[in-house]
Amino acid sequence: MQTLAYGSWPSPIDAALAAAHDGRPEDVGFVGDEVWWTAPRPAEGGRRTLVRRHPDGTEEPVLPAPWNVRSRVIEYGGRPWAALMTDAGPLVVFVDFADQRLYAWEPGGAEPRPLTPVSPVGGGLRWAEPDLRPERGEVWCVLEEFTGDGPSDVRRVPVAVPLDGSAAGDRDAVRELTGERHRFVTGPRVSPDGRRAAWLAWDHPRMPWDGTELIVADIGPEGTFRDARTVAGGPEESIVQADWAPDGALLYASDRTGWWNLYRDGRPLCTREEEFGGPLWKLGQRWFAPLDNGLIAVVHGRGAAALGILDPETGEVVDVAGPWTEFAATLAAHGERVVSVGAGPRSGYEVVELDTRTGRARVIGAPHHDAVDPAHYPEPQVRTFTGPGGRDIHAHVHPPRHPDCAAPDGELPPYVIWAHGGPTSRSPLVLDLEIAYFTSRGIGVAEVDYGGSTGHGREYRNRLRGQWGVVDVEDCAAVALALADEGTADRARLAVRGGSAGGWTAAASLTATDVYACGTVVYPILDLTGWGTGETHDFESQYLESLIGPLAEVPDRYTERSPVEHADRVRAPFLLLQGLDDVICPPVQCERFLARIAGRGVPHAYIAFEGEGHGFRRAETMVRALESELSLYAQAFGLDVPGIPTLELTE
């Protein structure tokens, strides 16, 4: 056992290793008896590929580079593929990221053929949640169509696209399924008898976790939706998924009680103070899947998400046994089989299959392999701290950990407070090699699920209404100071870090508090007035109406909360990381802030990455970002960290 100062411990987890394990499988589904999913490829320009698991257990990427299976609908995307098994093999329909066209392909055949046209107007035509309807020779999906050059010149509607390719050059050949008009819609789910369709819809200024409507329509003989009616939901009721039971009953997840619980034709199935749903950031997320035998596979929990089987007759849920403590909002069922994507504190995300007949769960895809000795992984603690006014603050604390190193007696470790994005989201308790990159070197990490986070009911989520930049900043600071007060962290060596909405919280923390010695701010929001008046995409263009308040009524609040207006208050060194292709939190936000900070004597660095958008996907980007962040902490905390490039700070 070596005695070395915190932050200087040698670690086998370098930035390249962390980058190689970034991302997770998503969008699981059955194609015949096979399981397919999308998977990240950081080393291949950050693309996502489609993976097929053959009956013999072998995995095969379905589409070679540069095909990138990813939709840009609402910018965060949606389910980008569908497939079915034919006598000749699988027929796949997918969205390619480069041009956002919908393609059809038979693996082993010719090149994928486009099904949809290209539009030169604004962001063009985009598609999500394809659902193959071979009996009609069509694929039904969501169309996002830009009608002008502005980010909010857009309409969304359920449509039918011909499978014969006749719409590849003709927008008029795309058939709109309904005249019902809402700003946002999810893909239609068709009842087992083919006579009804159900989908979700909402309008500005609501976000889907504020309030949505569940719409049901009859399907006419010609394949259009008739007599559309709202059967559940409203301005203060969030429905995040709907589907049909095999017997034709309508299932949905609603938070009408303050928690996302399941309902069958309006009747509660399992009333609990826990979540059977989550924030709908991507179209096609699934927290439940009905089985042929009447049971329902569910992803549920409170501050975490387990995979279980719900008996709707008794309301009992039986969870799968295994090392997984967190399951993603992707779920599929076929016969007695259920697949999802699960992870735990000592394993990354894996494709997990549950045999509901035997109750046995096993990993069938993207299996976790320890890239280093697990003794270098952190051992996280689930904590609840007390914030202002006595309110609870949920957090995951990851103390420094190394099998062969210890710090000198009396030394306390530096800690980085991580603020998650969203802000309507949460931090999953899973193995993250980015966290291990720091903890294995002797730098602690605390992930804070500040007020406004999901997983703890609507009341906890609503704490941020009108209070963004206040509650999140206070809660992060309360956790940081509590760790210092209890002797867990060094009060003089605290940092704050976050991306997107977490970048806002990090920047607001540097302007509003003196808690932190430095900060890392990643693709942030920094100027509320600019962001709320056209500098972001349509989906979140009115998000601030609830997070801050109506701009027309409280314009001063937008100014008072914005870090860009208080650059003169920043005293701590900081690192600013930004993707130049980001349309959600665009570079102009960083540039405006940097112009205000210039010449104020605050050490800082700004790194902008070509070809990166909102969320870094390329291995080389993630390596440079991680090494730069570590170098910032080394300089601010006085650490000796060998083997990484020194980040040049300017004033």
Side-chain angles (χ1 to χ4, degrees), residues 480-572:
L481 294 175
L483 291 172
D485 290 345
E486 71 185 24
T488 298
D490 185 342
R491 173 64 184 88
R493 296 192 294 176
L494 298 171
V496 63
R497 180 244 221 198
S500 189
W504 153 271
T505 300
S509 297
L510 295 179
T511 60
T513 78
D514 62 357
V515 172
Y516 307 102
C518 63
T520 301
V521 181
V522 189
Y523 36 85
I525 300 160
L526 297 169
D527 176 6
L528 293 175
T529 302
W531 200 77
T533 55
E535 285 182 2
T536 191
H537 62 144
D538 184 60
F539 178 57
E540 293 178 273
S541 61
Q542 297 187 35
Y543 197 2
L544 300 183
E545 295 283 299
S546 59
L547 290 175
I548 304 296
L551 178 59
E553 298 175 15
V554 290
D556 292 346
R557 190 182 297 170
Y558 281 63
T559 301
E560 178 56 34
R561 300 266 181 90
S562 294
V564 74
E565 299 293 341
H566 305 293
D568 58 311
R569 299 179 185 173
V570 178
R571 298 289 183 268

Side-chain angles (χ1 to χ4, degrees), residues 1-6 8-11 400-407 440:
M1 182 69 67
Q2 299 182 73
T3 300
L4 296 171
Y6 285 117
S8 64
W9 299 348
S11 173
R401 183 170 184 254
H402 195 293
D404 303 315
C405 293
S440 62

Side-chain angles (χ1 to χ4, degrees), residues 88-146:
L91 169 64
V92 187
V93 172
F94 68 95
V95 178
D96 183 59
F97 183 75
D99 59 11
Q100 287 299 292
R101 298 175 87 179
L102 203 60
Y103 287 82
W105 191 45
E106 295 81 25
E111 283 284 297
R113 52 189 175 86
L115 298 180
T116 56
V118 174
S119 169
V121 179
L125 304 174
R126 302 173 179 179
W127 318 83
E129 287 199 81
D131 179 21
L132 283 158
R133 314 303 301 176
E135 72 281 3
R136 296 185 180 274
E138 295 176 326
V139 54
W140 290 9
C141 56
V142 173
L143 164 62
E144 180 177 77
E145 180 174 26
F146 282 79

Side-chain angles (χ1 to χ4, degrees), residues 280-291:
L280 191 66
W281 280 102
K282 294 182 178 182
L283 303 187
Q285 288 179 290
R286 301 193 77 192
W287 291 269
F288 69 86
L291 305 178

